[in-house]
Amino acid sequence: MISLPLVYTILALVAYTSSFWYLFIRLMSKRTPNLWCYGLLVGLGLLLHGVVLYQDMMTPMGINYDVFNLISFTSGLMLTLSLILSLIRPVLPLNLIGTPVAAFGLILGFVYSKPNQFIEMHSLGLDLHIILSLSAYAVLLMATIHAVLLWFQDRELKKKQKKRIWVNLLPPFQVMESLLFDLIITGFALLTAALLFGFFTIDNFFAQHLAHKTAFSIISWFLYGALLIGHYKFGWRGRKAIRFTITGFILLAIGFIGSKFVLEMILGR
């Protein structure tokens, strides 16, 4: 018998796929996408994504913080924020990568999540730390996707290709770059707040099972901070900004997803 979560997952993937192809076809044909139509498709996918996550994460024993649930949650939150941002900034093409990322996160969460990853001790500070951390990851994931698109655009401009797909699909390079730093500033602020709450509210913030996460998060924080200082003081931009952005998120992902994956999937903790 087919379970309801499986049905919801399939329907969410159908909605995500439909929204992706609708957006892709409209942009490739240089026709303005109907934001309401696109938003309805993505919104349906996100709603179903949320239902699947709710059933996986909210249990009688507490919130299930399994690593794959968190990947699914972060990818869904990223797409939600990206959709909201699309209402006020010309960044709808960002979702050409954001939507598949959210779909992939949903699949990982549904297929691989385990039902017994709970946090024993809860506090307001811990809850705020988790919320701020996931929000920071979502925004910085958006920034990373944005940096990848910016790299595609920069590559086409510098190689002077006749067929410029990303140059034609995306807003002007300067607009894209400005938005990249807006996202980095927002993500950096959220990451700063998350680290501060972690330092002051979690007694075992540097305990063995959190040491790698903390270390990589701090290194990533310094990297993003250096990028922002370099940009506003020394004019860093272009490929240097792209490299810093992508490297910073890779470190963040290694610290959070990597360490949690090792603890749960390999060490079984």
Side-chain angles (χ1 to χ4, degrees):
M1 185 176 178
I2 299 177
S3 64
L4 273 178
L6 176 59
V7 173
Y8 293 146
T9 300
I10 293 172
L11 291 175
L13 291 174
V14 169
Y16 281 154
T17 303
S18 301
S19 68
F20 172 85
W21 283 111
Y22 171 78
L23 181 61
F24 180 78
I25 291 170
R26 298 288 290 195
L27 291 175
M28 287 299 292
S29 60
K30 297 184 179 180
R31 291 181 292 169
T32 303
N34 185 311
L35 196 56
W36 287 105
C37 179
Y38 174 75
L40 185 63
L41 288 170
V42 176
L44 178 61
L46 287 169
L47 177 63
L48 293 167
H49 191 151
V51 171
V52 174
L53 262 177
Y54 182 85
Q55 293 180 341
D56 276 345
M57 295 186 72
M58 305 304 293
T59 73
M61 296 178 62
I63 301 175
N64 180 12
Y65 286 107
D66 171 78
V67 60
F68 294 107
N69 278 340
L70 294 180
I71 291 173
S72 179
F73 180 88
T74 303
S75 64
L77 179 59
M78 176 275 301
L79 186 58
T80 302
L81 295 174
S82 180
L83 182 62
I84 294 171
L85 187 62
S86 300
L87 299 174
I88 55 177
R89 300 287 289 271
V91 292
L92 208 55
L94 186 70
N95 295 333
L96 288 175
I97 294 182
T99 304
V101 169
F104 184 64
L106 172 62
I107 293 171
L108 286 179
F110 178 76
V111 175
Y112 294 109
S113 65
K114 292 183 177 181
N116 58 349
Q117 302 297 324
F118 305 102
I119 295 178
E120 296 178 359
M121 299 298 291
H122 267 283
S123 67
L124 178 60
L126 177 60
D127 290 337
L128 286 173
H129 170 70
I130 292 171
I131 291 169
L132 288 168
S133 295
L134 293 176
S135 299
Y137 298 148
V139 173
L140 292 172
L141 176 57
M142 282 176 60
T144 303
I145 292 173
H146 200 81
V148 171
L149 292 175
L150 203 58
W151 181 80
F152 287 148
Q153 196 177 33
D154 180 69
R155 189 165 173 264
E156 288 182 349
L157 287 169
K158 289 190 173 178
K159 288 194 172 183
K160 298 180 179 179
Q161 297 176 355
K162 292 182 179 179
K163 192 174 182 181
R164 297 179 173 182
I165 297 174
W166 296 105
V167 170
N168 294 330
L169 283 178
L170 300 172
F173 188 85
Q174 291 78 7
V175 174
M176 291 284 290
E177 195 172 57
S178 174
L179 178 59
L180 173 65
F181 282 99
D182 289 345
L183 291 171
I184 292 172
I185 290 170
T186 304
F188 181 74
L190 289 168
L191 183 60
T192 302
L195 288 171
L196 287 174
F197 269 100
F199 282 131
F200 292 112
T201 62
I202 302 175
D203 294 333
N204 58 346
F205 197 57
F206 286 99
Q208 185 176 2
H209 65 290
L210 291 175
H212 291 87
K213 173 182 177 294
T214 305
F216 277 104
S217 296
I218 292 173
I219 294 171
S220 178
W221 181 86
F222 273 110
L223 202 62
Y224 283 120
L227 172 58
L228 291 174
I229 293 172
H231 174 67
Y232 289 105
K233 191 168 183 178
F234 304 110
W236 291 1
R237 54 192 299 272
R239 292 198 173 185
K240 180 174 284 189
I242 292 169
R243 286 195 294 268
F244 265 76
T245 304
I246 295 173
T247 304
F249 187 77
I250 289 173
L251 290 171
L252 203 59
I254 290 173
F256 178 63
I257 303 299
S259 60
K260 197 165 177 59
F261 180 85
V262 170
L263 287 170
E264 292 181 13
M265 303 301 293
I266 298 177
L267 300 180
R269 295 182 185 178

